[in-house]
Amino acid sequence: MTDSDTVHCDRYLPHPPAAVWRALTDPELHARWWAAGDVRPVVGHRFELDMGPWGSQRCEVTAVEEERLLRYTFAEGNLDTVITWRLVPEGRGTRLLLEHAGFDLDSPLGRAALDGMGKGWLHVLDRLDTVLAA
C-alpha cells in the first residue's frame, strides 16, 4: 500500500474506461465519491477540492491523456503532494492505478497524512465503485 513517501492502490473496476474517466473528471460525479470541486481534464487547470474538516485543498492539473491518465498536484502550500490516476482497459472493465506521492516524511503533518490517506484511499475507491455501479 505505501512505499516510502507514496501510496499505491490497484483496483479492478467492472466498468469501461470511459465511465471511470468520467467519474474522475466530471465535477458532479467526483463530488459523489470523493470531494466537491471543479476538477477538469485540462493541463494547467487550477481547482480546489472541498475536503470537509481538512478544508479546501488547492490543486493543478499537470498531465492528461484522455481515458488513460490524470495527474494533479494536491494540497498546494499544505501537503504539496501529487495524485496520479492511470486507467488500463482490462477485459470489459478498467484497472485503476492510483499513486499519491510526495508526502514530507520529515514533518508530522506529512507522516500523519501518509498514514491516514494510505488507509483512506481504499474506502474512497469503494465509494467510486459504488457510484459507477449506480
Side-chain angles (χ1 to χ4, degrees):
M1 176 58 98
T2 61
D3 166 14
S4 63
D5 69 345
T6 304
V7 176
H8 297 276
C9 296
D10 178 333
R11 177 72 58 99
Y12 175 78
L13 299 167
H15 312 283
V20 176
W21 182 256
R22 186 168 170 255
L24 293 176
T25 61
D26 178 281
E28 183 181 321
L29 284 175
H30 196 274
R32 291 175 41 200
W33 63 270
W34 186 29
D38 186 31
V39 61
R40 302 271 181 219
V42 177
V43 172
H45 176 66
R46 298 185 65 75
F47 61 100
E48 292 187 1
L49 291 176
D50 180 359
M51 302 305 297
W54 296 280
S56 289
Q57 302 300 324
R58 291 181 304 194
C59 305
E60 181 178 355
V61 177
T62 59
V64 173
E65 294 177 32
E66 189 78 17
E67 294 186 12
R68 295 186 56 214
L69 179 130
L70 177 66
R71 177 179 297 129
Y72 48 85
T73 61
F74 175 76
E76 292 176 357
N78 190 6
L79 290 178
D80 293 315
T81 57
V82 176
I83 295 174
T84 303
W85 301 96
R86 295 182 192 280
L87 291 73
V88 180
E90 186 174 310
R92 294 184 177 195
T94 305
R95 175 75 48 192
L96 181 62
L97 305 168
L98 164 67
E99 178 183 280
H100 191 167
F103 292 92
D104 179 1
L105 301 182
D106 291 330
S107 84
L109 175 63
R111 285 194 173 278
L114 176 65
D115 183 54
M117 291 181 174
K119 297 171 187 167
W121 274 119
L122 296 176
H123 301 294
V124 170
L125 294 177
D126 287 343
R127 290 194 309 267
L128 171 60
D129 192 25
T130 299
V131 166
L132 286 166

